Amino acid sequence: QVQLVESGGGSVQAGGSLRLSCAASSILSSSVMAWFRQSPGKEREFVALIRWRGRNSLYADSVKGRFTISQDNARNTVNLQMNSLKTEDTGIYYCARGSRYATIPPEYDFWGQGTQVTVAS
């Protein structure tokens, strides 16, 4: 069973930064690693993804230019650097592993437990 463990969440003022990390017990060269987020009353939404082989990345329009996804092959870790945070970025952030370059949750087979990000005005 693949385990994903997120860390780095917390509370920050609007305009601030946070860096999330996701440590995976296993990442295949064909894997796609992604971050999703969910806020109360809303569906889980795509944030960013990276293809493990080739490092191609994709971002939701709402975070483009502010968030950066990166990978650390040696540590089997994927990171999400979040800058210029807005109150609407508040939510639980989930790391996920899949095998397709996709932006919808059903395409991902393994999920972490999530880490809370709260952005105060």
Side-chain angles (χ1 to χ4, degrees), residues 93-116:
Y93 282 68
Y94 297 92
C95 175
R97 195 193 94 171
S99 57
R100 297 186 64 180
Y101 202 73
T103 61
I104 56 173
E107 292 290 345
Y108 289 83
D109 305 307
F110 303 101
W111 293 82
Q113 293 298 307
T115 185
Q116 177 71 45

PDB file of all heavy atoms in Angstrom, residues 93-116:
ATOM      1  N   TYR A  93      -5.324  20.645   2.145  1.00  0.00           N
ATOM      2  CA  TYR A  93      -4.542  20.324   0.958  1.00  0.00           C
ATOM      3  C   TYR A  93      -4.141  18.857   0.995  1.00  0.00           C
ATOM      4  O   TYR A  93      -3.593  18.376   1.984  1.00  0.00           O
ATOM      5  CB  TYR A  93      -3.306  21.213   0.874  1.00  0.00           C
ATOM      6  CG  TYR A  93      -3.634  22.601   0.374  1.00  0.00           C
ATOM      7  CD1 TYR A  93      -4.396  23.471   1.145  1.00  0.00           C
ATOM      8  CD2 TYR A  93      -3.219  23.026  -0.884  1.00  0.00           C
ATOM      9  CE1 TYR A  93      -4.729  24.734   0.680  1.00  0.00           C
ATOM     10  CE2 TYR A  93      -3.538  24.297  -1.355  1.00  0.00           C
ATOM     11  CZ  TYR A  93      -4.291  25.137  -0.565  1.00  0.00           C
ATOM     12  OH  TYR A  93      -4.614  26.393  -1.031  1.00  0.00           O
ATOM     13  N   TYR A  94      -4.432  18.163  -0.097  1.00  0.00           N
ATOM     14  CA  TYR A  94      -4.178  16.738  -0.207  1.00  0.00           C
ATOM     15  C   TYR A  94      -3.146  16.461  -1.292  1.00  0.00           C
ATOM     16  O   TYR A  94      -3.200  17.041  -2.380  1.00  0.00           O
ATOM     17  CB  TYR A  94      -5.454  15.989  -0.563  1.00  0.00           C
ATOM     18  CG  TYR A  94      -6.544  16.073   0.469  1.00  0.00           C
ATOM     19  CD1 TYR A  94      -7.506  17.075   0.401  1.00  0.00           C
ATOM     20  CD2 TYR A  94      -6.628  15.139   1.504  1.00  0.00           C
ATOM     21  CE1 TYR A  94      -8.518  17.157   1.339  1.00  0.00           C
ATOM     22  CE2 TYR A  94      -7.637  15.216   2.443  1.00  0.00           C
ATOM     23  CZ  TYR A  94      -8.573  16.220   2.358  1.00  0.00           C
ATOM     24  OH  TYR A  94      -9.580  16.282   3.289  1.00  0.00           O
ATOM     25  N   CYS A  95      -2.284  15.544  -0.997  1.00  0.00           N
ATOM     26  CA  CYS A  95      -1.335  15.030  -1.974  1.00  0.00           C
ATOM     27  C   CYS A  95      -1.920  13.741  -2.558  1.00  0.00           C
ATOM     28  O   CYS A  95      -2.565  12.971  -1.835  1.00  0.00           O
ATOM     29  CB  CYS A  95      -0.019  14.749  -1.266  1.00  0.00           C
ATOM     30  SG  CYS A  95       1.247  13.977  -2.275  1.00  0.00           S
ATOM     31  N   ALA A  96      -1.690  13.515  -3.839  1.00  0.00           N
ATOM     32  CA  ALA A  96      -2.232  12.322  -4.475  1.00  0.00           C
ATOM     33  C   ALA A  96      -1.260  11.785  -5.507  1.00  0.00           C
ATOM     34  O   ALA A  96      -0.490  12.540  -6.109  1.00  0.00           O
ATOM     35  CB  ALA A  96      -3.565  12.646  -5.145  1.00  0.00           C
ATOM     36  N   ARG A  97      -1.345  10.462  -5.710  1.00  0.00           N
ATOM     37  CA  ARG A  97      -0.521   9.811  -6.722  1.00  0.00           C
ATOM     38  C   ARG A  97      -1.403   9.092  -7.723  1.00  0.00           C
ATOM     39  O   ARG A  97      -2.319   8.349  -7.336  1.00  0.00           O
ATOM     40  CB  ARG A  97       0.439   8.796  -6.093  1.00  0.00           C
ATOM     41  CG  ARG A  97       1.568   8.357  -7.032  1.00  0.00           C
ATOM     42  CD  ARG A  97       2.317   7.143  -6.529  1.00  0.00           C
ATOM     43  NE  ARG A  97       1.760   5.923  -7.112  1.00  0.00           N
ATOM     44  CZ  ARG A  97       2.320   4.729  -6.989  1.00  0.00           C
ATOM     45  NH1 ARG A  97       3.435   4.578  -6.279  1.00  0.00           N
ATOM     46  NH2 ARG A  97       1.760   3.667  -7.538  1.00  0.00           N
ATOM     47  N   GLY A  98      -1.125   9.361  -8.977  1.00  0.00           N
ATOM     48  CA  GLY A  98      -1.851   8.676 -10.033  1.00  0.00           C
ATOM     49  C   GLY A  98      -0.901   8.274 -11.140  1.00  0.00           C
ATOM     50  O   GLY A  98       0.319   8.318 -10.980  1.00  0.00           O
ATOM     51  N   SER A  99      -1.492   7.883 -12.265  1.00  0.00           N
ATOM     52  CA  SER A  99      -0.671   7.459 -13.396  1.00  0.00           C
ATOM     53  C   SER A  99      -1.036   8.198 -14.672  1.00  0.00           C
ATOM     54  O   SER A  99      -0.437   7.943 -15.724  1.00  0.00           O
ATOM     55  CB  SER A  99      -0.803   5.948 -13.610  1.00  0.00           C
ATOM     56  OG  SER A  99      -2.164   5.609 -13.811  1.00  0.00           O
ATOM     57  N   ARG A 100      -2.005   9.091 -14.560  1.00  0.00           N
ATOM     58  CA  ARG A 100      -2.409   9.862 -15.733  1.00  0.00           C
ATOM     59  C   ARG A 100      -2.272  11.352 -15.458  1.00  0.00           C
ATOM     60  O   ARG A 100      -2.452  11.820 -14.343  1.00  0.00           O
ATOM     61  CB  ARG A 100      -3.854   9.528 -16.114  1.00  0.00           C
ATOM     62  CG  ARG A 100      -4.056   8.082 -16.506  1.00  0.00           C
ATOM     63  CD  ARG A 100      -5.464   7.841 -17.005  1.00  0.00           C
ATOM     64  NE  ARG A 100      -5.721   8.586 -18.233  1.00  0.00           N
ATOM     65  CZ  ARG A 100      -6.877   8.553 -18.887  1.00  0.00           C
ATOM     66  NH1 ARG A 100      -7.873   7.860 -18.410  1.00  0.00           N
ATOM     67  NH2 ARG A 100      -7.037   9.243 -19.992  1.00  0.00           N
ATOM     68  N   TYR A 101      -2.005  12.075 -16.505  1.00  0.00           N
ATOM     69  CA  TYR A 101      -1.852  13.534 -16.439  1.00  0.00           C
ATOM     70  C   TYR A 101      -3.268  14.110 -16.382  1.00  0.00           C
ATOM     71  O   TYR A 101      -3.840  14.521 -17.386  1.00  0.00           O
ATOM     72  CB  TYR A 101      -1.125  13.990 -17.695  1.00  0.00           C
ATOM     73  CG  TYR A 101      -0.423  15.319 -17.603  1.00  0.00           C
ATOM     74  CD1 TYR A 101       0.758  15.462 -16.874  1.00  0.00           C
ATOM     75  CD2 TYR A 101      -0.897  16.424 -18.289  1.00  0.00           C
ATOM     76  CE1 TYR A 101       1.425  16.666 -16.816  1.00  0.00           C
ATOM     77  CE2 TYR A 101      -0.236  17.634 -18.247  1.00  0.00           C
ATOM     78  CZ  TYR A 101       0.928  17.746 -17.509  1.00  0.00           C
ATOM     79  OH  TYR A 101       1.590  18.951 -17.467  1.00  0.00           O
ATOM     80  N   ALA A 102      -3.833  14.134 -15.170  1.00  0.00           N
ATOM     81  CA  ALA A 102      -5.245  14.442 -15.031  1.00  0.00           C
ATOM     82  C   ALA A 102      -5.482  15.411 -13.881  1.00  0.00           C
ATOM     83  O   ALA A 102      -4.698  15.475 -12.930  1.00  0.00           O
ATOM     84  CB  ALA A 102      -6.033  13.157 -14.791  1.00  0.00           C
ATOM     85  N   THR A 103      -6.587  16.133 -13.963  1.00  0.00           N
ATOM     86  CA  THR A 103      -6.892  17.143 -12.959  1.00  0.00           C
ATOM     87  C   THR A 103      -8.132  16.815 -12.141  1.00  0.00           C
ATOM     88  O   THR A 103      -8.647  17.674 -11.423  1.00  0.00           O
ATOM     89  CB  THR A 103      -7.077  18.516 -13.624  1.00  0.00           C
ATOM     90  OG1 THR A 103      -8.176  18.428 -14.549  1.00  0.00           O
ATOM     91  CG2 THR A 103      -5.826  18.952 -14.375  1.00  0.00           C
ATOM     92  N   ILE A 104      -8.636  15.594 -12.251  1.00  0.00           N
ATOM     93  CA  ILE A 104      -9.829  15.218 -11.502  1.00  0.00           C
ATOM     94  C   ILE A 104      -9.490  14.129 -10.487  1.00  0.00           C
ATOM     95  O   ILE A 104      -8.710  13.211 -10.779  1.00  0.00           O
ATOM     96  CB  ILE A 104     -10.971  14.766 -12.431  1.00  0.00           C
ATOM     97  CG1 ILE A 104     -10.516  13.614 -13.332  1.00  0.00           C
ATOM     98  CG2 ILE A 104     -11.477  15.939 -13.261  1.00  0.00           C
ATOM     99  CD1 ILE A 104     -11.651  13.028 -14.155  1.00  0.00           C
ATOM    100  N   PRO A 105     -10.068  14.201  -9.299  1.00  0.00           N
ATOM    101  CA  PRO A 105      -9.732  13.252  -8.230  1.00  0.00           C
ATOM    102  C   PRO A 105      -9.859  11.777  -8.575  1.00  0.00           C
ATOM    103  O   PRO A 105      -9.015  10.981  -8.144  1.00  0.00           O
ATOM    104  CB  PRO A 105     -10.684  13.661  -7.101  1.00  0.00           C
ATOM    105  CG  PRO A 105     -10.930  15.104  -7.328  1.00  0.00           C
ATOM    106  CD  PRO A 105     -10.980  15.263  -8.812  1.00  0.00           C
ATOM    107  N   PRO A 106     -10.886  11.349  -9.318  1.00  0.00           N
ATOM    108  CA  PRO A 106     -11.011   9.905  -9.588  1.00  0.00           C
ATOM    109  C   PRO A 106      -9.811   9.297 -10.330  1.00  0.00           C
ATOM    110  O   PRO A 106      -9.654   8.075 -10.328  1.00  0.00           O
ATOM    111  CB  PRO A 106     -12.283   9.815 -10.443  1.00  0.00           C
ATOM    112  CG  PRO A 106     -13.063  11.009 -10.074  1.00  0.00           C
ATOM    113  CD  PRO A 106     -12.051  12.087  -9.854  1.00  0.00           C
ATOM    114  N   GLU A 107      -9.009  10.131 -10.957  1.00  0.00           N
ATOM    115  CA  GLU A 107      -7.854   9.597 -11.695  1.00  0.00           C
ATOM    116  C   GLU A 107      -6.673   9.279 -10.776  1.00  0.00           C
ATOM    117  O   GLU A 107      -5.663   8.748 -11.244  1.00  0.00           O
ATOM    118  CB  GLU A 107      -7.402  10.605 -12.752  1.00  0.00           C
ATOM    119  CG  GLU A 107      -8.402  10.793 -13.893  1.00  0.00           C
ATOM    120  CD  GLU A 107      -8.487   9.567 -14.784  1.00  0.00           C
ATOM    121  OE1 GLU A 107      -7.598   8.698 -14.706  1.00  0.00           O
ATOM    122  OE2 GLU A 107      -9.463   9.486 -15.564  1.00  0.00           O
ATOM    123  N   TYR A 108      -6.822   9.562  -9.507  1.00  0.00           N
ATOM    124  CA  TYR A 108      -5.715   9.360  -8.563  1.00  0.00           C
ATOM    125  C   TYR A 108      -6.041   8.211  -7.621  1.00  0.00           C
ATOM    126  O   TYR A 108      -7.131   8.143  -7.058  1.00  0.00           O
ATOM    127  CB  TYR A 108      -5.418  10.657  -7.813  1.00  0.00           C
ATOM    128  CG  TYR A 108      -4.789  11.653  -8.741  1.00  0.00           C
ATOM    129  CD1 TYR A 108      -5.562  12.441  -9.590  1.00  0.00           C
ATOM    130  CD2 TYR A 108      -3.403  11.764  -8.833  1.00  0.00           C
ATOM    131  CE1 TYR A 108      -4.981  13.317 -10.488  1.00  0.00           C
ATOM    132  CE2 TYR A 108      -2.807  12.639  -9.719  1.00  0.00           C
ATOM    133  CZ  TYR A 108      -3.604  13.409 -10.558  1.00  0.00           C
ATOM    134  OH  TYR A 108      -3.028  14.269 -11.459  1.00  0.00           O
ATOM    135  N   ASP A 109      -5.076   7.323  -7.469  1.00  0.00           N
ATOM    136  CA  ASP A 109      -5.300   6.066  -6.741  1.00  0.00           C
ATOM    137  C   ASP A 109      -4.975   6.163  -5.262  1.00  0.00           C
ATOM    138  O   ASP A 109      -5.549   5.444  -4.452  1.00  0.00           O
ATOM    139  CB  ASP A 109      -4.436   4.957  -7.357  1.00  0.00           C
ATOM    140  CG  ASP A 109      -4.677   4.797  -8.845  1.00  0.00           C
ATOM    141  OD1 ASP A 109      -5.853   4.633  -9.220  1.00  0.00           O
ATOM    142  OD2 ASP A 109      -3.701   4.829  -9.616  1.00  0.00           O
ATOM    143  N   PHE A 110      -4.023   7.006  -4.921  1.00  0.00           N
ATOM    144  CA  PHE A 110      -3.559   7.076  -3.534  1.00  0.00           C
ATOM    145  C   PHE A 110      -3.591   8.518  -3.050  1.00  0.00           C
ATOM    146  O   PHE A 110      -3.220   9.437  -3.792  1.00  0.00           O
ATOM    147  CB  PHE A 110      -2.136   6.509  -3.428  1.00  0.00           C
ATOM    148  CG  PHE A 110      -2.008   5.106  -3.929  1.00  0.00           C
ATOM    149  CD1 PHE A 110      -1.479   4.845  -5.185  1.00  0.00           C
ATOM    150  CD2 PHE A 110      -2.447   4.038  -3.149  1.00  0.00           C
ATOM    151  CE1 PHE A 110      -1.384   3.549  -5.663  1.00  0.00           C
ATOM    152  CE2 PHE A 110      -2.350   2.742  -3.614  1.00  0.00           C
ATOM    153  CZ  PHE A 110      -1.825   2.496  -4.878  1.00  0.00           C
ATOM    154  N   TRP A 111      -3.991   8.656  -1.785  1.00  0.00           N
ATOM    155  CA  TRP A 111      -4.180   9.980  -1.201  1.00  0.00           C
ATOM    156  C   TRP A 111      -3.566  10.059   0.177  1.00  0.00           C
ATOM    157  O   TRP A 111      -3.559   9.081   0.925  1.00  0.00           O
ATOM    158  CB  TRP A 111      -5.670  10.300  -1.089  1.00  0.00           C
ATOM    159  CG  TRP A 111      -6.346  10.467  -2.398  1.00  0.00           C
ATOM    160  CD1 TRP A 111      -6.824   9.483  -3.214  1.00  0.00           C
ATOM    161  CD2 TRP A 111      -6.597  11.707  -3.073  1.00  0.00           C
ATOM    162  NE1 TRP A 111      -7.369  10.037  -4.345  1.00  0.00           N
ATOM    163  CE2 TRP A 111      -7.247  11.399  -4.283  1.00  0.00           C
ATOM    164  CE3 TRP A 111      -6.353  13.040  -2.755  1.00  0.00           C
ATOM    165  CZ2 TRP A 111      -7.644  12.388  -5.190  1.00  0.00           C
ATOM    166  CZ3 TRP A 111      -6.751  14.019  -3.649  1.00  0.00           C
ATOM    167  CH2 TRP A 111      -7.390  13.694  -4.852  1.00  0.00           C
ATOM    168  N   GLY A 112      -3.084  11.252   0.512  1.00  0.00           N
ATOM    169  CA  GLY A 112      -2.658  11.499   1.873  1.00  0.00           C
ATOM    170  C   GLY A 112      -3.836  11.914   2.736  1.00  0.00           C
ATOM    171  O   GLY A 112      -4.966  12.028   2.243  1.00  0.00           O
ATOM    172  N   GLN A 113      -3.574  12.152   3.995  1.00  0.00           N
ATOM    173  CA  GLN A 113      -4.615  12.519   4.943  1.00  0.00           C
ATOM    174  C   GLN A 113      -4.962  13.995   4.881  1.00  0.00           C
ATOM    175  O   GLN A 113      -6.010  14.408   5.389  1.00  0.00           O
ATOM    176  CB  GLN A 113      -4.178  12.164   6.366  1.00  0.00           C
ATOM    177  CG  GLN A 113      -4.068  10.669   6.605  1.00  0.00           C
ATOM    178  CD  GLN A 113      -5.403   9.977   6.425  1.00  0.00           C
ATOM    179  OE1 GLN A 113      -6.407  10.353   7.009  1.00  0.00           O
ATOM    180  NE2 GLN A 113      -5.414   8.938   5.586  1.00  0.00           N
ATOM    181  N   GLY A 114      -4.103  14.780   4.298  1.00  0.00           N
ATOM    182  CA  GLY A 114      -4.370  16.200   4.158  1.00  0.00           C
ATOM    183  C   GLY A 114      -3.701  17.041   5.222  1.00  0.00           C
ATOM    184  O   GLY A 114      -3.419  16.554   6.323  1.00  0.00           O
ATOM    185  N   THR A 115      -3.463  18.289   4.885  1.00  0.00           N
ATOM    186  CA  THR A 115      -2.902  19.239   5.831  1.00  0.00           C
ATOM    187  C   THR A 115      -3.651  20.564   5.687  1.00  0.00           C
ATOM    188  O   THR A 115      -3.933  21.010   4.574  1.00  0.00           O
ATOM    189  CB  THR A 115      -1.388  19.421   5.600  1.00  0.00           C
ATOM    190  OG1 THR A 115      -0.831  20.260   6.615  1.00  0.00           O
ATOM    191  CG2 THR A 115      -1.060  20.012   4.237  1.00  0.00           C
ATOM    192  N   GLN A 116      -3.989  21.153   6.824  1.00  0.00           N
ATOM    193  CA  GLN A 116      -4.821  22.360   6.823  1.00  0.00           C
ATOM    194  C   GLN A 116      -3.981  23.594   6.517  1.00  0.00           C
ATOM    195  O   GLN A 116      -2.913  23.804   7.110  1.00  0.00           O
ATOM    196  CB  GLN A 116      -5.497  22.532   8.175  1.00  0.00           C
ATOM    197  CG  GLN A 116      -6.324  23.800   8.319  1.00  0.00           C
ATOM    198  CD  GLN A 116      -7.587  23.764   7.506  1.00  0.00           C
ATOM    199  OE1 GLN A 116      -8.312  22.781   7.493  1.00  0.00           O
ATOM    200  NE2 GLN A 116      -7.873  24.868   6.793  1.00  0.00           N
TER     201      GLN A 116
END
